[in-house]
Amino acid sequence: MRVLVTGGAGFIGSHVVEALSARGHEAVVFDVRADPGADVRDPAAVARAVAGVDAVCHQAAMVGLGVGFGDAAEYVSRNDLGTAVLLAAMAEAGVRHLVLAGSMVVYGEGRYTCPRDGVVRPGPRAVADLDAGRFEPRCPVCGAALAPGLVGEDAPADPRSVYATTKLAQEHLAAAWARSTGGSAVSLRYHNVYGPRMPRDTPYAGVASFFRSALARGEAPRVFEDGRQRRDFVHVRDVAAANAVALEAGSVPGVLTAYNTGSGEPHTVGEMARALADAHGGPAPVITGEYRLGDVRHITADSERLRAELGWRPKVGFAEGMREFATSG
């Protein structure tokens, strides 16, 4: 296949390009980092880019929590307007296969079980609780302590930041495109992706990048809350392989199919910080008790649908991946 990879010069996109090339596909990079004229919001540039391709792997996006609500217009412009322009060009050109870089942030908090009330969905955490160091959500019915579990693709969406809202809107746009054109659309809902080429020293980078940058400066990683918040850290090469598998498999025409894309092995943020510090030989992490209002407490994936339907399996284990990432570029 000839595959257009938007954001193909970026962190995840560059690995997707390599994975596609290794499997015999022709990857066409569309990225402002490689070509200042390659803006996914530019209808003329996008129309030229989609001409003659068989499929699109849409990785271009503004990511992370950013620096405040002042970023909202830019997030919506880059993520949602850009996706709309791309899908319109695909519809016009007759390109009918899309893989979208989705995100677990569309879920908000993960899956929780109350000993009395069963599966529940706690609302956003109150500032007063966070200020007091009460980080764990409580049962919204009886107030009891909750047990976190794995969230599946059928869980209702509950985005809790501007970025999360734009990622959900991307899925809705892709679903509308699929219905209108009969195209096949897949959203790979990435969990916490890390690995070589991860951006450094930017407020839009992921937590693993913040920790590694601190260690490179000889400083201790600063872990927010109490460090016990659970995430699913998945290596970028495994995510790239999932994109290639999804492109090759296609999906049901006329609908969008979502797949959680995670390692299936939850770890706490504190564990990740310690693993990086040990691998780097730097100072031990410091638990700060600070928090970011847009963060959720626990969000970990059930990725069995991706394994069962497409045969994808992650290959890079947590310890191995963190050792590599601690010293990678």
Side-chain angles (χ1 to χ4, degrees):
M1 285 188 292
R2 190 166 191 259
V3 182
L4 179 70
V5 183
T6 69
F11 166 45
I12 298 175
S14 63
H15 286 275
V16 171
V17 167
E18 290 177 357
L20 290 171
S21 299
R23 297 166 81 102
H25 302 294
E26 179 186 357
V28 180
V29 173
F30 186 83
D31 194 308
V32 291
R33 283 160 289 208
D35 175 2
D39 189 329
V40 76
R41 297 167 293 183
D42 181 342
V46 174
R48 290 191 296 270
V50 300
V53 303
D54 303 301
V56 173
C57 187
H58 186 29
Q59 304 293 318
M62 185 174 179
V63 301
L65 285 179
V67 295
F69 200 82
D71 289 332
E74 191 70 8
Y75 271 107
V76 172
S77 175
R78 291 183 180 274
N79 295 356
D80 298 338
L81 174 60
T83 298
V85 169
L86 173 65
L87 293 171
M90 291 172 64
E92 180 67 22
V95 181
R96 297 293 182 261
H97 300 286
L98 170 72
V99 172
L100 171 68
S103 175
M104 55 84 180
V105 295
V106 301
Y107 297 119
E109 286 286 352
R111 186 179 190 274
Y112 291 87
T113 303
C114 171
R116 193 193 82 171
D117 298 298
V119 176
V120 295
R121 290 185 62 79
R125 296 180 292 173
V127 171
D129 286 336
L130 295 170
D131 285 342
R134 294 188 295 268
F135 301 120
E136 291 289 346
R138 310 290 291 189
C139 177
V141 180
C142 70
L146 299 174
L150 300 181
V151 61
E153 291 90 348
D154 297 329
D158 186 15
R160 299 191 179 178
S161 67
V162 171
Y163 170 61
T165 301
T166 65
K167 296 306 290 183
L168 182 59
Q170 283 185 312
E171 290 194 355
H172 288 319
L173 288 165
W177 166 84
R179 285 193 299 271
S180 175
T181 65
S184 67
V186 168
S187 177
L188 297 176
R189 290 176 175 169
Y190 302 159
H191 280 248
N192 289 69
V193 186
Y194 74 97
R197 301 174 214 152
M198 194 173 189
R200 293 176 182 259
D201 305 319
T202 163
Y204 304 96
V207 65
S209 181
F210 296 155
F211 292 164
R212 185 181 63 175
S213 292
L215 289 163
R217 297 190 300 267
E219 300 171 2
R222 294 177 59 82
V223 181
F224 281 13
E225 301 188 18
D226 57 5
R228 296 176 184 172
Q229 54 272 48
R230 287 158 46 103
R231 297 292 187 268
D232 185 323
F233 300 100
V234 58
H235 197 276
V236 66
R237 287 196 296 273
D238 287 329
V239 167
N243 276 270
V245 168
L247 282 165
E248 292 168 351
S251 64
V252 179
V255 299
L256 177 137
T257 305
Y259 293 104
N260 287 334
T261 308
S263 71
E265 298 180 1
H267 291 273
T268 68
V269 174
E271 284 179 305
M272 186 263 285
R274 288 192 295 274
L276 285 177
D278 290 346
H280 192 276
V286 173
I287 306 298
T288 70
E290 299 171 90
Y291 66 86
R292 298 191 303 177
L293 193 58
D295 278 339
V296 297
R297 179 61 173 174
H298 304 297
I299 177 67
T300 52
D302 180 350
S303 299
E304 283 307 309
R305 178 184 291 178
L306 182 57
R307 291 161 169 74
E309 295 186 8
L310 301 188
W312 172 84
R313 295 287 188 280
K315 296 182 178 179
V316 183
F318 177 78
E320 172 194 354
M322 289 298 165
R323 283 195 299 270
E324 177 198 28
F325 180 59
T327 56
S328 67

